[in-house]
Amino acid sequence: MFTANDFIPTPYSQTLEKGYFQWSAPSNIALVKYWGKKKNQIPANPSVSFTLNNCKTITKLTFEKRHFDKLSVTNGNFSFDLLFEGKPKEDFKPKIQKFFERIENYLPFLKDYHFTIDTQNTFPHSSGIASSASGMAALAMNLMSLEKALNPEMTEDYFYQKSSFLARLGSGSACRSVKGQLVIWGKQANIEGSSDEFGIEFPYGIHDNFKNFQDTILLVDKGEKQVSSTVGHDLMHNHPYAERRFAQAHENLDKLIAIFENGNLKEFIKVVESEALTLHAMMMTSMPYFILMKPNTLEIINKIWKFRKDTQIPVCFTLDAGANVHVLYPENVKEKVLQFIKDELVDYCQNAQYICDEIGKGAVAN
């Protein structure tokens, strides 16, 4: 088990002039929600997520050694270009700059190279699906590939845990996009190896009911989020219900440990839907308060509840910090649920758009 200090490297044994790496990393959907954070991207409560398969970011990192003269050594800036879908994307650069500043202590080679970060998403841009998790995870994997080339003795465990650790410093939930299929982030007494510093794969048994679980994402509203996640997390600091909420997350995670092992879908649905609504309840009761659901979000939720009651098919919803609805269900009811979505839910999606996804295995080198 590693700590942050273990991620500060000793001098590297190899040198590298130039080259490139390419990784894809998926988005993820939290079942127990992370909302509220402490200093240095530490979560106020633990969370657990399904790693997705199809919604991912593909990032190519090209690097070339910088050769300084005596005058420029003192001008120790990071040097990078950022391309999104092949075109320069200046408004992303401050986020990468901040990320590099946070991780420089752990990757001391960052100022030695000029980087070209070329990134693209497999899901539509501005589709309302958070790309910061998949994007930061893909970038972290590439940077760790470079460090592994400089330090070939690095173990696989160290490589993945440090990748998750670095991704978290870019975007908290990105640490859950490094490995699949179920990922725990945050210290939880009953989960061995759990950490606030990085995500770990769920270490216990997973019932067949949860293998190949499906997530169909209904794109209710593709506009910009009214409130950034950072602002939303900060509003938990003086929130009147924060402490009870953090305790509830621990309780719900404990419930899910047993549920994942025994396959009880009824209990799974209760925890997951309660978590989704609690997340939005916290937003509605913060100061300032805000509502990210849209009327169509509520229509979809009510339709899902009616369909489940009428058919006894174990389908449920969860929400991120936005209006879109993630419809979760086991693979063995896929045909019936997709027919229900086409018949009754598509009309509530913007331009009738939805994305079919499923549990995946985490980041992959391309």
Side-chain angles (χ1 to χ4, degrees), residues 214-218 325-329 337-338 341 354-357:
Q214 304 293 301
D215 178 6
T216 301
I217 306 154
L218 307 181
V325 181
H326 289 250
V327 185
L328 301 176
Y329 50 97
V337 174
L338 284 176
I341 288 168
Y354 62 96
I355 297 170
C356 291
D357 213 332

Side-chain angles (χ1 to χ4, degrees), residues 7 9-16 20-21 23 61 63 106-110 113 115 139-163 166 365:
F7 296 137
T10 52
Y12 299 124
S13 60
Q14 304 294 313
T15 58
L16 210 55
Y20 74 89
F21 296 101
W23 281 82
L61 181 77
F63 56 92
Y106 305 103
L107 297 178
F109 60 76
L110 284 175
Y113 291 94
F115 297 103
L139 180 53
M141 301 307 292
N142 279 306
L143 291 169
M144 281 306 296
S145 292
L146 175 49
E147 184 169 72
K148 188 163 173 41
L150 298 172
N151 175 26
E153 298 80 38
M154 183 187 294
T155 66
E156 189 173 332
D157 274 358
Y158 182 92
F159 176 85
Y160 279 101
Q161 286 195 1
K162 184 168 175 179
S163 295
L166 295 175

Side-chain angles (χ1 to χ4, degrees), residues 28-208:
N28 67 75
I29 179 65
L31 306 171
V32 169
K33 306 295 184 182
Y34 140 67
W35 198 244
K37 60 185 172 186
K38 304 171 190 175
K39 270 187 183 174
N40 302 322
Q41 299 282 92
I42 295 294
N45 66 263
S47 56
V48 60
S49 60
F50 278 144
T51 310
L52 297 180
N53 188 49
N54 304 328
C55 292
K56 58 191 174 188
T57 300
I58 302 159
T59 299
K60 181 177 181 181
L61 181 77
T62 308
F63 56 92
E64 187 162 357
K65 200 82 180 269
R66 300 163 75 191
H67 293 283
F68 299 102
D69 57 34
K70 282 183 182 176
L71 287 172
S72 64
V73 170
T74 54
N75 182 22
N77 293 326
F78 301 109
S79 176
F80 63 93
D81 295 313
L82 186 67
L83 306 175
F84 180 68
E85 294 177 351
K87 295 174 184 166
K89 190 78 174 165
E90 290 301 311
D91 54 339
F92 280 12
K93 286 185 86 170
K95 192 162 189 180
I96 303 298
Q97 172 74 24
K98 193 172 185 180
F99 177 50
F100 280 0
E101 287 166 7
R102 282 178 178 164
I103 66 173
E104 187 189 7
N105 201 25
Y106 305 103
L107 297 178
F109 60 76
L110 284 175
K111 285 178 179 168
D112 298 341
Y113 291 94
H114 174 76
F115 297 103
T116 302
I117 303 162
D118 194 349
T119 190
Q120 59 183 323
N121 296 329
T122 60
F123 45 92
H125 183 47
S126 294
S127 64
I129 295 173
S131 58
S132 57
S134 52
M136 284 300 180
L139 180 53
M141 301 307 292
N142 279 306
L143 291 169
M144 281 306 296
S145 292
L146 175 49
E147 184 169 72
K148 188 163 173 41
L150 298 172
N151 175 26
E153 298 80 38
M154 183 187 294
T155 66
E156 189 173 332
D157 274 358
Y158 182 92
F159 176 85
Y160 279 101
Q161 286 195 1
K162 184 168 175 179
S163 295
S164 180
F165 169 84
L166 295 175
R168 172 181 64 79
L169 292 172
S171 170
S173 57
C175 74
R176 298 190 311 240
S177 284
V178 167
K179 282 274 200 175
Q181 303 169 359
L182 264 176
V183 180
I184 305 282
W185 170 39
K187 190 74 188 138
Q188 176 79 355
N190 295 338
I191 297 179
E192 197 176 334
S194 58
S195 171
D196 289 341
E197 302 280 5
F198 45 79
I200 65 161
E201 288 185 275
F202 183 71
Y204 308 126
I206 300 173
H207 193 278
D208 283 352

Side-chain angles (χ1 to χ4, degrees), residues 32 44-46 186-190 196 244-257 275:
V32 169
N45 66 263
K187 190 74 188 138
Q188 176 79 355
N190 295 338
D196 289 341
R244 182 67 200 99
R245 161 59 201 152
F246 300 147
Q248 180 198 37
H250 283 277
E251 291 157 15
N252 281 337
L253 191 45
D254 272 345
K255 286 178 189 171
L256 282 178
I257 295 170
E275 276 286 318

Side-chain angles (χ1 to χ4, degrees), residues 333-365:
V333 295
K334 183 174 176 178
E335 278 184 37
K336 288 174 182 170
V337 174
L338 284 176
Q339 195 59 53
F340 159 62
I341 288 168
K342 288 171 190 164
D343 291 347
E344 297 196 42
L345 302 185
V346 162
D347 288 349
Y348 299 106
C349 300
Q350 197 169 332
N351 304 324
Q353 275 192 296
Y354 62 96
I355 297 170
C356 291
D357 213 332
E358 60 195 355
I359 288 189
K361 293 198 166 65
V364 179

Side-chain angles (χ1 to χ4, degrees), residues 261-282:
E261 293 201 69
N262 64 30
N264 189 327
L265 289 167
K266 274 190 175 174
E267 291 303 309
F268 174 80
I269 286 168
K270 280 185 202 169
V271 171
V272 168
E273 292 190 341
S274 166
E275 276 286 318
L277 295 174
T278 299
L279 172 68
H280 284 259
M282 299 312 283

